[in-house]
Amino acid sequence: MNFIKPAKLKCGFTLAEILITLGIIGIVAAMTMPSLIQNKSDKDTVSRLKKVYSSLSQAYFMLSAKYGDPTNWGIVSANGGTPGVPTEEGKKSSVNLANLFAIYMRTVKNCGVSKGCFSPGSNVDTRQDVGKIVLNDGTALGFAGLSGECTNNRGNTKHLASVCAWIIVDTNGNRRPNQYGVDIFEFALTKYGIIPYGTPEDTACPFETTCFKSNKYNGCTAWVLYNENLDYRKCSGLGWKTKTKCK
């Protein structure tokens, strides 16, 4: 008896099915990739800010061990009481302060009060009252005196009631976006240590009233260091006594 062999079945996908599948994959990727990239960028920022905060604190204590507290560091108000109008003595003070920290940090470039350390065209790069340096990982730092007696007051703790100088940090140097609360952050150099802007005790730049878009994200530094996120750019209602992340 002769048996008829069944025809072999051919398995596969049609071109239309493949294109539909690729289209779905593309849509999903388009929806998820920006979020993944943003999360990676935020984590990098948190890591870099923590690193420079640690380096600043170590340098501060090394300087304190050698010279005593900052009232002995030759700090004077960079602007002589007139914001945006640096005095020659103020310029020298800012340069000296940057030089002191440069000794104890991995510094690869020192600009004094000249341009070239921060992003070209940024308001920090062009400021004549800020002493500027760049570290070996590309982080840019600026220093400006506020009070030689460390009596500048920005809060209700002994640290914040004894501010000597202002420190600005660009975590990725001359790369974009060059925005406060995104890659630019501020610290207070006090008589007792380095304090990030925006702590719960900070009355000059409290997080809840200054760290939002319309205020150019001032007062966000402490939030990033302690809560390890930049969620203030993604949702509202965050606070030290409420929620500390969007989800």
Side-chain angles (χ1 to χ4, degrees), residues 10-23:
K10 295 183 178 180
C11 298
F13 298 99
T14 65
L15 178 60
E17 290 172 329
I18 292 173
L19 291 176
I20 291 171
T21 302
L22 290 175

Side-chain angles (χ1 to χ4, degrees), residues 57-158:
S57 296
Q58 290 176 28
Y60 176 95
F61 288 112
M62 294 289 285
L63 288 167
S64 296
K66 185 173 183 178
Y67 300 109
D69 69 57
T71 58
N72 300 309
W73 298 4
I75 297 173
V76 300
S77 172
N79 294 311
T82 306
V85 184
T87 63
E88 288 303 316
E89 186 181 16
K91 290 181 183 179
K92 291 178 181 178
S93 170
S94 294
V95 170
N96 177 64
L97 191 56
N99 289 342
L100 288 174
F101 275 85
I103 295 170
Y104 296 102
M105 303 182 80
R106 296 182 177 182
T107 305
V108 295
K109 188 175 184 180
N110 191 327
C111 297
V113 293
S114 301
K115 302 176 183 179
C117 281
F118 282 74
S119 179
S122 71
N123 67 328
V124 181
D125 193 55
T126 57
R127 286 183 61 163
Q128 292 290 299
D129 59 340
V130 179
K132 313 171 191 81
I133 62 175
V134 178
L135 306 183
N136 64 342
D137 64 355
T139 302
L141 295 93
F143 302 82
L146 295 174
S147 167
E149 296 76 29
C150 298
T151 55
N152 185 274
N153 191 314
R154 61 177 300 114
N156 51 20
T157 66
K158 74 172 186 177

Side-chain angles (χ1 to χ4, degrees), residues 185-206:
F185 301 90
E186 297 170 294
F187 295 86
L189 189 161
T190 80
K191 192 174 180 179
Y192 305 101
I194 306 292
I195 305 296
Y197 275 24
T199 62
E201 300 79 20
D202 190 339
T203 57
C205 283

